[in-house]
Amino acid sequence: MTILNLLFSLLLLFNSPIKVEKEDISIDPVISAINNNSSSDLAKFFESSISLNVNGQQGSYSKNQAEIVIRDFFKKNPSQGFSIVYSSETNPSLSSFIGDYLSEEGTFKVFIKVSQQESILRIYSLEFVKG
């Protein structure tokens, strides 16, 4: 009888569904960094290499180079408001966001693509396109 109980327990252990929930990572610190024109806070979320398009200046940049390009953009186009208008999750670890960035120079569409590795949010593509 003890062996039967042991086998039954093992069967339940290996056949029981294990629910692994993805920890939702908030995009709020990224929104705040853009709203506050903080290239250093925004760069904390950059991948080591990031695809960047800022007003037609596009390419693949290192994290440090991208921060300099973004700092220059913020200096020339100070934020008068930023908000996310659309978000999409293509799979559990990839998400895309579209936002509106308002400045004296006009409105820019912002396209943000992020990956989630464990509990870390990383921006691998960022675009500011004048609308």
Side-chain angles (χ1 to χ4, degrees), residues 60-126:
S60 186
Y61 294 87
S62 72
K63 185 176 187 171
N64 292 338
Q65 291 170 323
E67 182 181 353
I68 292 167
V69 172
I70 294 295
R71 183 181 311 134
D72 186 53
F73 172 79
F74 285 158
K75 192 174 184 179
K76 292 177 182 173
N77 304 282
S79 174
Q80 293 184 338
F82 174 70
S83 61
I84 296 293
V85 295
Y86 176 80
S87 65
S88 169
E89 185 180 288
T90 54
N91 73 45
S93 63
L94 299 175
S95 300
S96 299
F97 301 88
I98 300 174
D100 287 329
Y101 180 89
L102 306 174
S103 76
E104 281 187 17
E105 300 301 315
T107 301
F108 293 83
K109 281 290 181 199
V110 182
F111 302 91
I112 307 168
K113 294 182 181 177
V114 300
S115 64
Q116 180 179 330
Q117 297 143 4
E118 295 170 12
S119 62
I120 301 169
L121 180 81
R122 290 286 175 228
I123 300 171
Y124 65 89
S125 178
L126 179 63

Side-chain angles (χ1 to χ4, degrees), residues 33-75:
I34 293 172
N35 229 345
N36 295 324
N37 293 290
S38 179
S39 58
S40 60
D41 286 347
L42 186 59
K44 291 176 185 176
F45 298 97
F46 290 170
E47 284 280 1
S48 57
S49 177
I50 178 172
S51 174
L52 192 63
N53 177 5
V54 178
N55 247 356
Q57 181 180 357
Q58 66 183 47
S60 186
Y61 294 87
S62 72
K63 185 176 187 171
N64 292 338
Q65 291 170 323
E67 182 181 353
I68 292 167
V69 172
I70 294 295
R71 183 181 311 134
D72 186 53
F73 172 79
F74 285 158
K75 192 174 184 179

Side-chain angles (χ1 to χ4, degrees), residues 11-48:
L11 182 66
L12 284 176
L13 177 67
F14 289 111
N15 285 331
S16 63
I18 299 172
K19 188 174 182 181
V20 178
E21 288 188 29
K22 181 188 95 168
E23 184 180 330
D24 285 334
I25 303 296
S26 175
I27 190 80
D28 291 345
V30 172
I31 294 168
S32 179
I34 293 172
N35 229 345
N36 295 324
N37 293 290
S38 179
S39 58
S40 60
D41 286 347
L42 186 59
K44 291 176 185 176
F45 298 97
F46 290 170
E47 284 280 1
S48 57

